[in-house]
Amino acid sequence: MMKIICWLDEHIEKVFLVFFSVIMVAVIFLQVVMRQLDHSLSWSEELARYCFIWLIYIGISFGVKEQKHVKIDALLVFLNKKGQALLHFIANLFFMAFALYVLIFGYELANQLLQFGQKSPANQIPMGFVYMATPFGMGLTLIRLVQNQIKLIRTFMDKSEVTHSNRETISENKERRITS
Amino acid sequence: MTTAILFGSFAALLVLTVPIGIALALATLITIAFSGTMPLQFLAKELVTSVDSFPLLAVPFFILAGEIMGKGGISKRLFGVASAMVGNKTGGLAIATIITCMFFAAISGSGPATVAAIGGVMIPFMVQEGYDRGFATATVAAAGSIGIIIPPSIPMVMFGVTASASVGDLFLSGIIPGVLIGLAMMFWAWYYSKKMGYKGLAEKTSLKKIVQAIWDAKWALLIPIIILGGIYGGIFTPTEAAVVAVVYGLFAAMVLYRELSFKDLPKVIYQSALTTATVLIIVGAANAFGRLLTIEQIPNKIANWLMTISSNPTVIILLIMVLLLFVGMVMDPIAAIIILTPILLPVVTQVGYDPIHFGVLMIINLAIGYFTPPVGVNLFVGSSISGVPMGQLSKAALPYIGTMIIILLLVTFLPQIALLFV
Amino acid sequence: GGGEKNASTEQGESENDSDVIKIKVGHISPDDQAYAIGFKEYAEAVEEATDGKVQFEIFGNGALGGERELLEGVQLGTLDMSLITTGVVTNFVPEVAVIEFPFLFRDLDHTYKTLDGEIGQELLDKMSESNLKGIAFWENGERYVANSQRPVKAVEDLKGLKMRTIESELLLDMYSALGTNATPMAFPEVYNGLQQGVIDGSDFSTGVYYTTKVYEQSKHFSEVPLYYASATLVINQELFDSMPEDVQKVIVDLGKEYAAKQRQINQDLMEEYKQNLVADGVEIIPAEEIDIDGFRQAVESVYEKHADSYGDYIERIQNVE
Ligand code: NA
Ligand code: NA
């Protein structure tokens, strides 16, 4: 059981992101090929767009996990380590408020659409499923943000451990950035 | 009052280092809650609908193609050709980067996609050759904006539709300004490199070396030919071209060059999906923010105020250019075009400007916004590739902003530059 | 663009603020086109008839989004009212698609009688199940064939052309029946698609064909009415139900009355657009020179395949005198 949770914690977003990316590339490429054979598809573009929406909102959760969201961090240079952690903690609270808002209201919208029974034009997918992308993605994001907050609180509790793990993530980030 | 809440809360959230997309969204939400003009569900709905767009799909595909070309040795070989030709000149690598961006501009129609496709290879290489990381990233972020000036260009189509102006004429009007901007940027890159002593590569260039580089890059060089040939030969749309680039890129990287293994593939895919998501949340939130501006009639108030200031055409156009520069700082170009064109176009045509001419000015101006803080998507993409913080990156981009403003002024007062082919 | 407060200030001031019903409207049309002009006149008439009790705030030019987005907004209550090209409404209320069958109507008179009559009202009432109160069918226009290759006077002339359509089985089948290779494409890509030859043509109403400039890349325009595109005047059902009965009556009655006025505005603009198109070098092939019966015969297979999904509607529409 613990093993499953650990695996999910490490991989859940990656699995979804790869899944949706592969579908998007495959169906649009298929459409290009099929049009050459004079058998254009009526459903490929729509399916790709809906995968795209899911990809974005799950990607946001992954962005939180990997700490890759774009922010203006010029102010950070004026703060010491503890101040930076505090500011980070506050910023996360705002992010959490946003995620919670989308979780509640996005779910409500998706649910309403499911009740109206509205279907997509080409694939007859219930539009509610498309709209579920935001509450689902923001639910995951909320979990990731809580994980981050716990890490930050530990930072306050135990100094030495934190600087160590911080250094680790920074060098890891740099490595990825240079190779990418 | 609502204006103050909207912009005030946005600024405050940015200072607190809330991610930019989230700050835009929260500012929108706070304003809605205060003014009560829209129900709270408004934002939740906008977050879905504003990214539900097929043309927008070109962005993730070009990001993925760029990642594959970077990891699979393709962009490396293309860049090998460019550096074999101009790499040993002063600032040669930066100049080659700008040329490559201009070339990509003729394919992609999107600024951030150009940055993603080029930056992944060029920035690390320039850094490796001793260029300052900030300068290297700023060069790509700035030159990537040419993507929407040299046709094809999605924002130009948007302007044509909104303004009932000829998209064909707009496309033609973008060519010369786009090339001029590229040349001006190359000049700055050369000047800065000379000042900083970036001599470029030590190896002397020779015809044999160039031919060798081209041969080594033959599978890579086929990509732009396939993409351009496909688009202009009527086989696929620009978004589809991006997908074809992904598929061919995979083939070249995994089969022809064998630099990318199947095992590496998932990581390449989820890393580029991550970049896509962090960019698109900003686009989505910016659209919602823009919608709220419209609902609160803020653009209207600005237009009325403009007309009270002066009736002198030169004053009016300069004021509008300044206004657009500020708008470009915080708003997505497509959202800005949709919101502002119907307000500004009557004002400028009234004082005697040609709609096509104004369209090109607007596009160039908003293209600058791609690499101006606080909301500059090219900067974000560049920053996420190179790891250069936004503050440092914005500073390095400043001279490029200046260069582009000079060309903008030139096109403003010499309409022939834009309208020569029309 | 932007909003317009249409309420006359005199009446606005005399009203107690809490009595005023504010209706937020979004549509995609530029100010000088038929949707916008028609709605503006309608809004003024409603404001006057209710002594300013109803006030409209109109956001045109797609400032609040595309049509699908707008209609979803009206359904979910983030927007109050809109004028939506009916093809988009069919995604929400599938039965409505029946009025978009190819060559369904004999002529415009037949079209208007159907839409303004019993069948039209039945379809409008169906929308209530989706939280949409359909008020009346206004006009987008007959969809004609434009292409970049050659003048089209008969079905054979279309053979082998790559035609763009929306993601609809019905329309894809129609284009196949006409011997073309149909491909779905998003509207923003149509201009480039035509220019680069990814597609050879598409169907447009005259207004869209002229105002979006797609004619620059598809100079042959055949006035063969593939199907009729109406526009649905629609308001959020819950909001409508919450209004006093007299206000409901004004909104509905004037909505129906202004259908005729907006159609006339559209027809007048079409004449103006056609003159401009000819001046810009477009070859317009008038209906008289086209073998429309040949087209009707060619699309019979579409009826065989799809008509059953719409019960007896097709037959009833054909029987409208
Ligand atoms: Na371009
Ligand atoms: Na900007």
Side-chain angles (χ1 to χ4, degrees):
Chain A
M1 186 64 202
M2 207 50 213
K3 243 181 175 173
I4 298 174
I5 292 174
C6 277
W7 190 88
L8 282 177
D9 178 47
E10 185 54 35
H11 295 290
I12 184 163
E13 290 102 340
K14 295 178 189 172
V15 170
F16 277 108
L17 294 178
V18 172
F19 176 74
F20 289 122
S21 299
V22 169
I23 294 179
M24 284 159 65
V25 171
V27 297
I28 301 288
F29 189 70
L30 188 67
Q31 168 72 311
V32 174
V33 174
M34 291 306 276
R35 194 170 50 237
Q36 293 315 301
L37 306 172
D38 290 340
H39 283 283
S40 280
L41 307 170
S42 63
W43 48 269
S44 56
E45 189 187 304
E46 184 189 272
L47 184 61
R49 274 191 286 115
Y50 294 159
C51 288
F52 179 46
I53 295 171
W54 271 84
L55 178 129
I56 292 169
Y57 286 96
I58 289 173
I60 290 168
S61 172
F62 194 42
V64 172
K65 177 170 178 268
E66 304 277 298
Q67 313 218 346
K68 289 273 271 183
H69 277 288
V70 191
K71 53 192 163 203
I72 295 171
D73 44 13
L75 198 77
L76 287 180
V77 295
F78 300 109
L79 298 171
N80 61 17
K81 273 258 142 35
K82 231 170 187 165
Q84 287 186 8
L86 181 65
L87 194 61
H88 197 168
F89 189 84
I90 295 168
N92 272 351
L93 285 180
F94 279 104
F95 204 150
M96 287 167 79
F98 169 76
L100 197 63
Y101 157 81
V102 180
L103 183 62
I104 294 168
F105 284 84
Y107 179 77
E108 189 187 288
L109 280 184
N111 218 16
Q112 252 177 300
L113 285 171
L114 282 177
Q115 275 165 19
F116 294 140
Q118 192 211 320
K119 304 259 174 66
S120 73
N123 294 293
Q124 297 294 306
I125 302 169
M127 283 310 288
F129 291 165
V130 178
Y131 272 75
M132 277 299 173
T134 50
F136 186 87
M138 286 307 115
L140 277 181
T141 304
L142 206 53
I143 295 171
R144 293 300 183 199
L145 286 166
V146 170
Q147 288 177 332
N148 280 358
Q149 296 297 63
I150 292 170
K151 274 184 211 156
L152 282 168
I153 291 169
R154 280 192 190 147
T155 314
F156 288 112
M157 303 292 202
D158 182 8
K159 245 184 198 170
S160 57
E161 198 188 322
V162 172
T163 39
H164 174 70
S165 70
N166 256 0
R167 199 176 305 138
E168 214 168 59
T169 46
I170 287 168
S171 60
E172 198 183 47
N173 270 347
K174 276 212 174 119
E175 187 193 11
R176 191 177 61 238
R177 279 160 176 172
I178 287 166
T179 51
S180 66
Chain B
M1 184 59 193
T2 40
T3 318
I5 294 172
L6 189 60
F7 286 100
S9 56
F10 178 49
L13 289 164
L14 284 183
V15 169
L16 288 170
T17 70
V18 175
I20 290 162
I22 309 304
L24 278 166
L26 277 177
T28 307
L29 192 62
I30 291 166
T31 312
I32 292 170
F34 262 97
S35 69
T37 41
M38 291 304 262
L40 279 175
Q41 287 94 332
F42 168 79
L43 178 67
K45 186 173 167 298
E46 282 294 313
L47 288 173
V48 174
T49 49
S50 58
V51 293
D52 183 10
S53 145
F54 189 69
L56 220 50
L57 271 177
V59 178
F61 292 141
F62 272 115
I63 287 173
L64 181 56
E67 191 96 355
I68 290 167
M69 290 176 192
K71 291 266 164 38
I74 292 164
S75 304
K76 192 172 74 188
R77 286 176 174 83
L78 277 178
F79 198 33
V81 177
S83 58
M85 291 196 282
V86 289
N88 69 326
K89 306 274 184 325
T90 302
L93 286 187
I95 292 170
T97 301
I98 296 168
I99 293 172
T100 319
C101 281
M102 289 168 72
F103 188 57
F104 255 75
I107 303 168
S108 85
S110 152
T114 309
V115 178
I118 310 277
V121 200
M122 300 301 194
I123 297 170
F125 197 17
M126 277 195 272
V127 171
Q128 187 189 314
E129 292 300 324
Y131 285 73
D132 168 62
R133 192 179 280 269
F135 169 73
T137 313
T139 301
V140 178
S145 72
I146 301 172
I148 65 165
I149 300 168
I150 291 179
S153 161
I154 293 162
M156 278 184 183
V157 175
M158 293 292 171
F159 180 87
V161 169
T162 319
S164 290
S166 160
V167 178
D169 289 351
L170 278 165
F171 278 8
L172 289 174
S173 312
I175 297 171
I176 299 179
V179 172
L180 277 181
I181 288 164
L183 290 173
M185 284 181 176
M186 284 183 228
F187 179 78
W188 164 255
W190 170 81
Y191 177 83
Y192 182 80
S193 299
K194 197 173 161 184
K195 206 176 77 178
M196 300 297 288
Y198 298 152
K199 294 222 166 20
L201 306 173
E203 291 173 52
K204 276 255 161 15
T205 182
S206 74
L207 190 64
K208 199 180 151 210
K209 278 202 185 106
I210 294 172
V211 171
Q212 178 62 44
I214 290 175
W215 182 247
D216 195 36
K218 57 185 182 299
W219 302 119
L221 285 170
L222 257 178
I223 296 171
I225 292 169
I226 290 171
I227 291 174
L228 277 180
I231 295 177
Y232 290 101
I235 300 170
F236 33 73
T237 65
T239 301
E240 290 169 349
V243 170
V244 174
V246 169
V247 174
Y248 179 83
L250 279 175
F251 179 70
M254 297 177 83
V255 180
L256 300 174
Y257 289 139
R258 293 175 179 278
E259 289 204 14
L260 191 69
S261 72
F262 196 77
K263 196 171 68 54
D264 302 331
L265 204 51
K267 190 173 182 194
V268 170
I269 294 174
Y270 65 68
Q271 287 297 354
S272 53
L274 173 57
T275 309
T276 296
T278 50
V279 171
L280 264 298
I281 181 60
I282 297 168
V283 173
N287 275 328
F289 188 89
R291 289 268 157 81
L292 191 62
L293 285 182
T294 312
I295 292 164
E296 297 297 341
Q297 313 202 6
I298 293 163
N300 271 2
K301 286 171 196 157
I302 295 167
N304 291 338
W305 169 77
L306 267 177
M307 288 304 272
T308 60
I309 289 182
S310 172
S311 56
N312 179 320
T314 311
V315 176
I316 291 276
I317 198 81
L318 285 176
L319 273 173
I320 288 177
M321 289 300 119
V322 172
L323 168 77
L324 284 174
L325 274 178
F326 279 108
V327 168
M329 286 172 74
V330 293
M331 212 189 278
D332 175 72
I334 290 174
I337 287 167
I338 293 168
I339 293 163
L340 291 178
T341 304
I343 295 159
L344 296 179
L345 190 66
V347 179
V348 292
T349 47
Q350 206 177 316
V351 296
Y353 278 85
D354 178 85
I356 300 290
H357 182 205
F358 177 67
V360 173
L361 294 178
M362 192 162 179
I363 305 279
I364 297 174
N365 207 320
L366 294 172
I368 297 174
Y370 269 139
F371 59 102
T372 56
V375 184
V377 183
N378 284 15
L379 292 181
F380 303 151
V381 177
S383 166
S384 80
I385 291 169
S386 70
V388 176
M390 283 296 291
Q392 190 193 334
L393 184 53
S394 306
K395 215 188 267 172
L398 217 57
Y400 285 115
I401 296 171
T403 335
M404 209 147 149
I405 289 175
I406 291 169
I407 303 293
L408 177 66
L409 287 173
L410 212 60
V411 181
T412 305
F413 294 110
L414 293 171
Q416 299 88 333
I417 294 174
L419 303 176
L420 187 69
F421 297 139
V422 178
Chain C
E4 282 171 46
K5 292 223 161 77
N6 278 322
S8 85
T9 39
E10 275 171 74
Q11 287 158 343
E13 276 164 9
S14 65
E15 283 293 332
N16 182 340
D17 232 30
S18 63
D19 289 344
V20 172
I21 301 168
K22 284 196 173 140
I23 299 182
K24 210 182 298 287
V25 183
H27 62 69
I28 56 157
S29 162
D31 296 346
D32 56 353
Q33 290 172 27
Y35 283 16
I37 301 172
F39 196 93
K40 193 161 182 257
E41 290 183 8
Y42 165 73
E44 280 161 6
V46 171
E47 283 171 357
E48 199 182 305
T50 57
D51 291 328
K53 207 191 285 177
V54 173
Q55 287 178 17
F56 290 91
E57 208 177 343
I58 306 172
F59 298 93
N61 275 308
L64 298 186
E67 290 200 303
R68 195 196 166 83
E69 205 177 335
L70 292 173
L71 191 54
E72 248 166 37
V74 175
Q75 187 184 42
L76 297 168
T78 57
L79 184 69
D80 298 328
M81 194 172 186
S82 188
L83 181 61
I84 299 282
T85 308
T86 303
V88 178
V89 181
T90 63
N91 300 326
F92 293 66
V93 191
E95 292 89 344
V96 180
V98 73
I99 54 177
E100 306 220 314
F101 262 64
F103 303 97
L104 176 63
F105 300 108
R106 292 184 298 274
D107 48 32
L108 278 179
D109 190 46
H110 180 203
T111 312
Y112 297 154
K113 276 192 177 133
T114 307
L115 296 181
D116 299 343
E118 189 188 327
I119 296 172
Q121 192 56 49
E122 271 180 48
L123 293 172
L124 289 170
D125 291 343
K126 278 245 158 42
M127 298 176 192
S128 295
E129 294 162 19
S130 301
N131 206 27
L132 298 165
K133 164 75 187 165
I135 298 169
F137 288 110
W138 291 14
E139 183 161 275
N140 179 285
E142 288 178 307
R143 304 279 292 209
Y144 299 138
V145 178
N147 84 89
S148 58
Q149 300 298 309
R150 50 183 175 259
V152 170
K153 297 185 176 179
V155 179
E156 297 75 54
D157 300 328
L158 274 176
K159 207 171 175 54
L161 291 185
K162 291 175 281 182
M163 299 298 284
R164 172 264 173 179
T165 181
I166 55 171
E167 293 171 314
S168 141
E169 281 292 316
L170 184 69
L171 291 177
L172 279 170
D173 286 342
M174 174 193 76
Y175 272 118
S176 292
L178 293 173
T180 68
N181 305 317
T183 189
M185 186 182 280
F187 190 78
E189 305 213 314
V190 167
Y191 186 96
N192 282 342
L194 285 166
Q195 188 178 38
Q196 292 154 3
V198 179
I199 49 171
D200 297 319
S202 185
D203 54 90
F204 303 105
S205 64
T206 310
V208 169
Y209 179 62
Y210 175 68
T211 55
T212 64
K213 304 284 169 181
V214 287
Y215 70 86
E216 293 170 353
Q217 303 298 339
S218 56
K219 295 261 176 177
H220 306 285
F221 193 55
S222 297
E223 293 187 325
V224 48
L226 289 185
Y227 65 97
Y228 177 82
S230 57
T232 310
L233 184 64
V234 64
I235 188 167
N236 177 276
Q237 181 75 52
E238 283 166 52
L239 174 72
F240 182 80
D241 291 341
S242 73
M243 292 173 174
E245 255 174 60
D246 56 325
V247 173
Q248 287 182 345
K249 194 169 169 354
V250 168
I251 284 178
V252 171
D253 290 352
L254 285 175
K256 292 189 186 299
E257 187 184 326
Y258 273 75
K261 295 192 175 168
Q262 189 265 354
R263 286 169 190 159
Q264 191 55 51
I265 292 167
N266 189 50
Q267 297 291 332
D268 293 345
L269 280 173
M270 266 172 64
E271 282 311 309
E272 192 186 313
Y273 294 153
K274 274 165 72 172
Q275 285 171 14
N276 296 344
L277 285 168
V278 171
D280 279 355
V282 171
E283 182 194 17
I284 298 182
I285 296 153
E288 305 87 75
E289 291 179 26
I290 300 170
D291 173 22
I292 291 178
D293 281 338
F295 276 90
R296 279 184 201 284
Q297 278 161 20
V299 299
E300 266 170 22
S301 62
V302 178
Y303 281 79
E304 280 159 25
K305 183 172 170 192
H306 292 281
D308 284 351
S309 340
Y310 297 93
D312 57 353
Y313 270 123
I314 301 269
E315 205 185 328
R316 285 174 62 203
I317 291 172
Q318 283 165 341
N319 289 337
V320 171
E321 290 300 320

